[in-house]
Structure formats: structure tokens, C-alpha cells
Amino acid sequence: MTIKYTVSLHNPHAHIFKVTIEISHPNKDGQIISLPAWIPGSYMIRDFAKNIISVQATSGQNDVDIEKIDKSTWQAAATKGALKLSYDVYAWDLSVRSAHFDMTHAFFNGSSLFLMPHGFENENCYVDIEKPTDPKYADWKVTTSLTNETSDSSGFGTYKAENYDDLIDHPVEIGTQSEFEFEVDNTTHAMAFTGQCRYDRERLKNDITKICQTHCTMFGELPKLKKYIFLTMVTGDGYGGLEHRSSTSLMCSRDDLPLTTESDEPNEKYRNYLGLCSHEYFHTWNIKRIKPASFMPYDLSKETYTQQLWAFEGITSYYDELALVRSKVISVDSYLELLGQTITRVLRGKGRFKQSIAESSFDAWTKFYKQDESAPNNIVSYYAKGALLALCLDLTIRKETENKKSLDDIMRYLWLNYGKKSIGLAEGQIEKICSEVSGVDLSDFFDNYLYGIEELPLENLLSEMGVTYNLRPTLSVDDKGGSPAKENNTNNNSFGARFAEHPAGAKIAQIFNDESAELAGLSSGDIVIAVNNLQVNKLTINNIVNSYQEDEELHIHAFRRDELKEFTLILKASELTTCYLQRNEQTNEDKKKNQKEWLFL
Ligand SMILES: [Zn+2]
């Protein structure tokens, strides 16, 4: 049995890949083939087959009938010999999830290009990536963690995958990407950057090496890999990442990357990029190997439900930032700023009183991934609140065991007993393991904070680490929290809405339950044009609102669709939902010791 794909960079201007698959011994009753409807790591139905333009089937010199049987699936007529399918794929999605091809580069995930032959999912397969013949692309090369069989010095040639699952878990970048390598745990790692960018290679290499090493040290080892690759697409304002078993695809903004002028303490943008790399690298263990039983194997034809994403995205989000301070790439104060910002994001969402993190995980497909203007009121993020749940879990275990155990022990246990052995985790099993490994009965903890909607005991737990928890009003739309108020602003009134720019005024992007704007009758989508007869826009509305006192009435003119309406809004004081954390210098020696153990100081 041989399954062989070819990918040809057919037409960059029309964004078309030409792909073939040859199946040496197709199903005698007619071969069924399909494309995934979603890509692991991004829990939304995306129907990648919509980008397949046409499919032809042949056997030797003969055409074979082929019929489409659902949105992602085809069936070829029975053939005596080998079956070959040829098809064009439209690739114009600049994201980490699909495929993108033009005269600057080609990028694809196998889940967008490779049809899966049903019944042969577990067979080895081969991919030929053909070198473009146009001399314009003579300096293009291939960067991927797919296993190389025979290829030229630029990486064009044949790659091998163990099975279909392996085949689609190695994104491929083709172009003039700049690259460098480094070693972690005796394994070659590489970073590749596509898109116009400048960066301080030595700085990046130093910082990322330390972060990767910190994750390996915590888990005890790196999973067995031939190579690990960070693929980054650099654009003006990109952000995002998707994890794979031995690589990751990232998008960042040009000014996220460090220049030689970068200070020792990374600025906020560079810190974000390092956090993103740290996050995806942690997934190499946590979700790519330690995973829910319901993902083994993945059913990529439809939604796969799990309540466990808090553990895979929340715990990963906790460790992505923790590793920055543990590796000494950022300072403790910088870490506490990040943590304060995460707490602020969670406190500003009232959905946390309506949806538990377990429910948020289960409904990721239709709620978290399909957020609309009601999201802050109705849902909670299993990333942000999941990270804080992981923090509380870690600090609770440390407190109850007097630092003899921590979340690190749980993660190592999960790696050695589940991830490394390819055993999936049943629903609810991680919670039981947390209690067993730590020796602390955590059933109430999970009932209250994972399956329930109780507020997390952050203030008390952080105090045990010698960290004080402070709340203050939100000062402006750009106020992310994490640090004390800079200006001495006496009036902090809340309009109860978040605004977007609009040529006619300030457009209400989101409106918060039970706050002034909603109580006045305003809605998202309304365009506020005047407050007490003064014209406003997104930039000026805050200052005007803050020139009044709490409980004063504001006369609002706003358009709902094309109809002018008037509203009376009674100002309320801003809620104290902006958090910042500080090291308590006066704290006792025990708490200082706790802080050292926690942050590896
Ligand atoms: Zn993630």
C-alpha cells in the first residue's frame, strides 16, 4: 500500500496549489476521501473543503467517476488499479489555521491541502513538495518539521509521515524566510521569520533558549523530537499561534521583535511575543501529548466536546508567563504586571457569573470561538480565567503541602503517566489526579471554581506568596491594568460601554449589563454623537464624561440605525475592576521563601 501526495506551487497570483494523491490499492467498492472540517488546536468548524475548487479522478490513462457526497467528502468509483486524484486548492487565508500563497511565500497546514483516504488513515504516506520552475522563485526554500526522506539543499523533495494525523501536524513554510538554529536539551530548535522584519538575532536566541530550557526542566525532559521549529509570519499588526507536535505557527507584529536597542527588561510588545512562543512550546507536552481521551483520535469531521480545555489552555496560559520569570527573561515586577493584567481581563467580564470555565470549554465551538458583542456579559474565557484557576491550584497545593508539592508535580505526573504513554485523559480525571498526586483533597476547589462560578481566592493565596492584591478604577479605554494609576484622576465615572471609532461619533462596541448605558436604554451598535449637547467621538467621550460627577444626569444623542434617539444616562462611579499586584517588602521570611520556590528565584 502506498499513499503519495504531491504539492505544486501552481499559480501564486491566483493563490492556487495543485495537489495530487495517489492511492496504490484503493477501496475495491470505491474510495472515499475527505478533508477535515476543523484543525486541532482551534475549536471551530471551518470547512476547509470549501477551498477545493475541483477534483478529478483517474486510474492509469482512464478517467474515474467521482461524486461529492457531503460538504467535505467525495467518493470515487471502483477501480481495478491505483487511483489518482488531482485538485486545486485556493489559499488566501493569512492565518495560522489554513493556507496562504502568493509571490512572497507559500504556507500551508496539511488539513487544508491533503485529502484523507478513508480506511487508510493509519498508513504511512509521502509528500513531494515540488520546486517552482519560475526562476523568480529560485531562492525559495522549505521549512517544516515533516520528516525529510530525500530533498535538495533547499528542502524541495520528498517527506514522510507516519499516518494522516502526523501528516497534517507539520505546517510548511516555503519562501525566503530568515532562519537561525539553537540547541535545547540536545535537540536542534529553529526559528524562521517570513515577512519584512528586522530583529536582534542573538537577543532572541538567548531569550528563547532560556524559556524552552525552563519548560524542559519543569517537565524533566523534552518529548522525543528530531527538531522543533517556530515558524513566524511577521505583519504590521499580526498576533496568534497554533501548536503542533514538533513545531508551531505564529503571527506577530513587526515591532514585537527585539532590536539591538531593546532594554534588558523586554518591553511590553516583545514580552508578548516571548509569551506567545512560550505558550505554544508548552503545548508540545500539554495538548499535543497530554490530551483528552476524546481527542484520541481526533474526529475532524465534526465538533468534539470536552470540558477539559481549562487544563490545556488555562494551565498552558499560566505557565507561558510563569516560564518568562522563572527563566529570568523578565523580572518579578514584570511578571506581576502580566498577572495583574490577566486578573483585570477576568474581572471586567461579568460572564464569569453566568458560565463556568468547564462550560466555556464545552461550548468553545459556538461561544468562545464565535464571540459577539454580548461576550463580556455572557461568557468567560477558559484561557484567562483558566490561567488564574491554574495559579490558584498551584498556590493552594503549595500552601497545603508547605511547598512539598506544586502544580509542577501534577504536570510531570501527567507527562510521564499519560502524555509519554499516549494515554488520553477521561473527563474529570485531571481533577482526581490533582488530589491524588498532591495529597490534598481538591474536590471542593474544583466544584467551586471549575464547575461553579465562585470568585477565585486570589487575594488570600497571593498574600501567602508575599504579594499584595490591589484594585482600582479603570482610567481609560487603553488601561489594561497591572500597574498603579499613573495620573491622579479624581473623577472616574463609567459610561458602561466600550467604544469603537466611527466617522459620525463614538460607536458602542460593547455594553455592560446593569451599568449606566444599558440602564439608559443604549445598545451596542448605537452611535453616540453628543453628550449634553457637546459633540463626541471615541477619543473625547471619556474626558467629557469625567467632567461630570457621579449621579449627574447626562443627555445623550445617539443614532440607532439611521434614527436619532435621545437618552438620559445617570453616571455611576467606575467599578473597581482594574487589578495590580505588588511585592510586599514587609512580608515575613516564610512568605518570601514561598515566593522564591514559586518563581524559581
Ligand atoms: Zn494554546
Side-chain angles (χ1 to χ4, degrees):
M1 179 68 196
T2 315
I3 297 169
K4 185 169 185 180
Y5 297 87
T6 62
V7 176
S8 110
L9 306 183
H10 176 66
N11 186 341
H13 295 187
H15 321 301
I16 306 284
F17 288 106
K18 265 196 186 301
V19 184
T20 66
I21 170 174
E22 290 171 74
I23 306 159
S24 65
H25 297 80
N27 187 309
K28 285 196 276 305
D29 300 323
Q31 182 63 48
I32 295 176
I33 57 266
S34 66
L35 205 63
W38 60 280
I39 182 168
S42 185
Y43 305 105
M44 189 167 119
I45 297 297
R46 297 184 192 274
D47 293 328
F48 298 116
K50 71 183 179 192
N51 292 315
I52 292 188
I53 301 167
S54 56
V55 183
Q56 281 87 42
T58 51
S59 184
Q61 298 303 311
N62 304 319
D63 287 344
V64 174
D65 286 342
I66 185 158
E67 183 188 2
K68 197 160 185 187
I69 54 177
D70 72 26
K71 62 181 180 176
S72 304
T73 313
W74 289 257
Q75 181 161 22
T79 58
K80 288 219 174 66
L83 176 69
K84 180 177 178 179
L85 303 172
S86 311
Y87 50 101
D88 290 357
V89 180
Y90 178 66
W92 195 234
D93 175 12
L94 188 58
S95 81
V96 295
R97 301 176 295 261
S98 184
H100 189 258
F101 176 32
D102 66 5
M103 67 290 196
T104 65
H105 86 134
F107 168 81
F108 66 84
N109 284 288
S111 43
S112 283
L113 254 61
F114 300 132
L115 286 169
M116 179 180 81
H118 289 212
F120 304 115
E121 297 87 343
N122 296 318
E123 298 287 331
N124 287 180
C125 49
Y126 297 86
V127 183
D128 234 353
I129 302 175
E130 295 174 355
K131 193 176 171 72
T133 47
D134 190 328
K136 267 196 291 199
Y137 307 115
D139 56 349
W140 281 23
K141 61 184 178 213
V142 180
T143 306
T144 179
S145 54
L146 267 171
T147 303
N148 195 325
E149 274 278 294
T150 48
S151 66
D152 67 14
S153 58
S154 310
F156 290 99
T158 309
Y159 292 83
K160 182 182 175 182
E162 293 299 311
N163 48 41
Y164 186 79
D165 185 47
D166 185 28
L167 175 70
I168 63 167
D169 205 14
H170 302 273
V172 178
E173 178 68 38
I174 307 167
T176 56
Q177 57 275 16
S178 68
E179 291 183 321
F180 64 83
E181 291 191 341
F182 55 100
E183 287 285 311
V184 180
D185 221 32
N186 297 316
T187 305
T188 301
H189 287 53
M191 292 195 112
F193 293 89
T194 302
Q196 276 192 43
C197 59
R198 286 166 63 80
Y199 56 89
D200 179 349
R201 176 178 292 206
E202 286 311 305
R203 173 67 187 266
L204 203 45
K205 191 190 279 193
N206 263 326
D207 288 345
I208 198 72
T209 304
K210 285 186 207 160
I211 294 164
C212 294
Q213 190 57 59
T214 298
H215 288 315
C216 292
T217 304
M218 198 281 284
F219 276 108
E221 62 184 335
L222 180 68
K224 218 167 168 296
L225 304 176
K226 291 195 185 79
K227 190 175 184 179
Y228 186 91
I229 306 177
F230 293 89
L231 294 172
T232 303
M233 175 82 203
V234 185
T235 66
D237 59 353
Y239 184 78
L242 191 61
E243 64 276 7
H244 298 281
R245 67 186 64 187
S246 43
S247 61
T248 176
S249 303
L250 309 169
M251 291 193 69
C252 79
S253 306
R254 204 158 282 125
D255 52 359
D256 288 347
L257 300 177
L259 298 172
T260 49
T261 50
E262 184 73 34
S263 59
D264 287 347
E265 183 72 53
N267 69 26
E268 199 174 333
K269 300 210 72 176
Y270 179 40
R271 187 176 67 183
N272 278 349
Y273 178 69
L274 291 173
L276 179 64
C277 293
S278 176
H279 181 97
E280 304 307 344
Y281 193 71
F282 192 85
H283 275 316
T284 312
W285 292 266
N286 198 36
I287 198 60
K288 294 316 303 185
R289 289 169 178 81
I290 305 166
K291 52 169 76 172
S294 52
F295 287 181
M296 298 178 78
Y298 290 109
D299 179 351
L300 298 176
S301 69
K302 60 177 192 292
E303 294 89 343
T304 304
Y305 297 98
T306 175
Q307 292 189 321
Q308 299 187 68
L309 293 179
W310 73 273
F312 298 103
E313 292 303 345
I315 292 178
T316 301
S317 298
Y318 171 54
Y319 276 101
D320 70 36
E321 293 178 351
L322 189 59
L324 301 184
V325 63
R326 283 179 165 185
S327 61
K328 301 193 166 43
V329 166
I330 67 169
S331 65
V332 173
D333 290 339
S334 178
Y335 174 63
L336 293 180
E337 182 182 40
L338 282 170
L339 207 48
Q341 290 176 349
T342 305
I343 296 170
T344 301
R345 280 205 301 281
V346 171
L347 293 181
R348 285 185 189 165
K350 294 184 177 174
R352 73 185 190 282
F353 300 120
K354 297 181 188 160
Q355 189 190 43
S356 70
I357 322 178
E359 289 168 330
S360 174
S361 167
F362 192 85
D363 277 335
W365 303 88
T366 49
K367 294 193 174 190
F368 189 78
Y369 270 89
K370 293 186 177 176
Q371 294 185 29
D372 60 20
E373 68 290 335
S374 73
N377 295 322
N378 297 338
I379 69 168
V380 68
S381 163
Y382 54 81
Y383 282 84
K385 195 175 172 193
L388 300 184
L389 181 86
L391 165 72
C392 290
L393 179 61
D394 192 14
L395 301 192
T396 300
I397 295 171
R398 287 172 186 276
K399 184 180 168 185
E400 297 296 325
T401 64
E402 294 177 333
N403 283 317
K404 287 186 189 69
K405 298 276 180 193
S406 72
L407 188 55
D408 297 352
D409 294 288
I410 314 278
M411 296 317 295
R412 277 190 290 272
Y413 183 91
L414 288 171
W415 161 242
L416 289 172
N417 295 283
Y418 291 86
K420 196 170 179 178
K421 294 179 178 168
S422 302
I423 299 172
L425 289 144
E427 300 295 293
Q429 201 174 355
I430 294 180
E431 293 94 275
K432 291 196 193 96
I433 288 170
C434 287
S435 292
E436 281 161 25
V437 173
S438 67
V440 179
D441 180 1
L442 293 159
S443 41
D444 285 349
F445 178 95
F446 288 113
D447 281 350
N448 294 338
Y449 308 123
L450 172 60
Y451 298 103
I453 51 170
E454 259 186 57
E455 288 282 65
L456 295 166
L458 287 161
E459 185 167 1
N460 283 338
L461 289 169
L462 284 165
S463 145
E464 295 294 324
M465 297 289 135
V467 172
T468 57
Y469 176 94
N470 312 283
L471 294 177
R472 62 171 176 79
T474 305
L475 296 182
S476 70
V477 280
D478 308 316
D479 184 1
K480 289 190 214 146
S483 53
K486 284 187 189 74
E487 315 134 54
N488 215 352
N489 224 343
T490 45
N491 272 355
N492 286 298
N493 299 319
S494 168
F495 197 92
R498 196 170 288 152
F499 296 100
E501 283 178 41
H502 190 278
K507 183 173 180 175
I508 299 183
Q510 285 168 329
I511 198 147
F512 304 114
N513 278 169
D514 304 320
E515 295 193 27
S516 304
E518 189 189 74
L519 294 172
L522 286 152
S523 273
S524 26
D526 288 351
I527 297 149
V528 178
I529 57 167
V531 173
N532 283 355
N533 301 320
L534 288 175
Q535 189 179 20
V536 291
N537 60 36
K538 188 197 171 194
L539 299 174
T540 59
I541 191 162
N542 237 5
N543 285 343
I544 292 179
V545 167
N546 273 330
S547 67
Y548 295 91
Q549 301 290 327
E550 191 181 341
D551 294 329
E552 281 195 78
E553 278 188 9
L554 301 184
H555 188 57
I556 310 288
H557 281 89
F559 277 107
R560 175 155 307 169
R561 301 179 297 278
D562 59 351
E563 297 175 16
L564 186 63
K565 303 280 179 198
E566 293 179 47
F567 302 86
T568 303
L569 181 144
I570 302 167
L571 274 182
K572 284 202 205 177
S574 280
E575 293 179 15
L576 299 181
T577 53
T578 298
C579 175
Y580 62 99
L581 306 174
Q582 288 173 317
R583 274 192 286 180
N584 182 354
E585 300 298 344
Q586 265 80 55
T587 201
N588 65 37
E589 288 307 313
D590 280 354
K591 291 185 177 181
K592 281 185 184 159
K593 184 171 162 277
N594 289 345
Q595 192 183 100
K596 279 190 181 151
E597 298 256 351
W598 172 40
L599 303 177
F600 273 9
L601 299 171

